[in-house]
């Protein structure tokens, strides 16, 4: 072991910085529910679940864009009614996955390469958390 590596602190893992208290949506949920959850829970990213398996992800920008598009297509309806007609499964994007034991540097590289805002964290196929650009920037900037 060389003396330089002995003094370096080990890089944090995704599991150390991820959010574990997640607000999830189901495939058959509507945009109205997502909008309510966005306003109540103050989160920007929602894993979309198919039973107990992650099926995709939707974020605040996706919801805002879909809301505007729905209102443009149905201008005579109220926002609440329009939002109740759009299914989450029709808006979600494929999720990018990482394991909780991956380094935060590896997670940041994936986000940059794939141009995504967050990663779902899965261990043994089970959703255990979510890590965002903000989570990683906070940690990487401490160096």
């Amino acid at each position: 072991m060389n003396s330089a590596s002995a003094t370096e602190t080990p890089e944090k893992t995704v599991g150390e910085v991820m959010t574990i208290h997640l607000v999830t949506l189901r495939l058959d949920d509507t945009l109205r529910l997502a909008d309510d959850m966005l306003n109540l829970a103050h989160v920007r990213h929602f894993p979309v679940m198919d039973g107990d398996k992650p099926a995709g992800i939707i974020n605040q920008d996706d919801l805002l864009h879909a809301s505007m598009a729905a209102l443009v297509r149905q201008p005579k309806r109220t926002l609440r009614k329009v939002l109740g007609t759009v299914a989450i499964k029709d808006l979600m994007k494929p999720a990018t996955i990482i394991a909780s034991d991956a380094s935060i540097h590896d997670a940041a590289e994936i986000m940059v390469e794939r141009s995504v805002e967050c990663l779902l964290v899965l261990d043994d196929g089970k959703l255990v958390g979510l890590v965002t650009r903000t989570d990683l920037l906070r940690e990487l900037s401490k160096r």
Side-chain angles (χ1 to χ4, degrees):
M1 176 186 272
N2 83 35
S3 60
S5 63
T7 60
E8 292 178 16
T9 56
E11 184 168 54
K12 287 192 174 184
T13 65
V14 169
E16 293 174 284
V17 301
M18 69 184 182
T19 299
I20 58 171
H21 301 291
L22 303 176
V23 177
T24 62
L25 295 169
R26 296 176 310 202
L27 290 169
D28 59 344
D29 286 336
T30 64
L31 190 55
R32 180 170 51 202
L33 176 62
D35 184 58
D36 290 343
M37 298 306 293
L38 181 75
N39 292 319
L40 290 171
H42 302 289
V43 295
R44 293 191 44 184
H45 307 281
F46 299 94
V48 180
M49 305 298 288
D50 184 4
D52 61 350
K53 302 273 186 224
I57 192 145
I58 191 164
N59 66 37
Q60 180 181 22
D61 291 339
D62 300 328
L63 298 173
L64 293 173
H65 178 78
S67 297
M68 177 141 344
L71 280 173
V72 166
R73 286 191 291 273
Q74 301 177 51
K76 298 197 187 268
R77 297 188 75 191
T78 67
L79 179 61
R80 295 288 295 162
K81 287 188 183 205
V82 169
L83 296 180
T85 66
V86 181
I88 293 300
K89 66 183 170 193
D90 297 329
L91 303 175
M92 71 179 191
K93 297 175 184 171
T96 305
I97 308 298
I98 196 162
S100 65
D101 62 355
S103 74
I104 60 172
H105 184 267
D106 289 344
E109 279 186 344
I110 291 169
M111 284 186 184
V112 169
E113 288 171 3
R114 298 188 186 177
S115 205
V116 295
E117 296 181 21
C118 69
L119 304 172
L120 294 187
V121 184
L122 270 65
D123 286 337
D124 298 322
K126 181 180 177 196
L127 180 65
V128 295
L130 180 141
V131 66
T132 67
R133 286 187 298 198
T134 304
D135 297 328
L136 297 178
L137 281 169
R138 184 180 308 117
E139 291 302 321
L140 292 170
S141 67
K142 290 179 182 178
R143 295 180 185 183

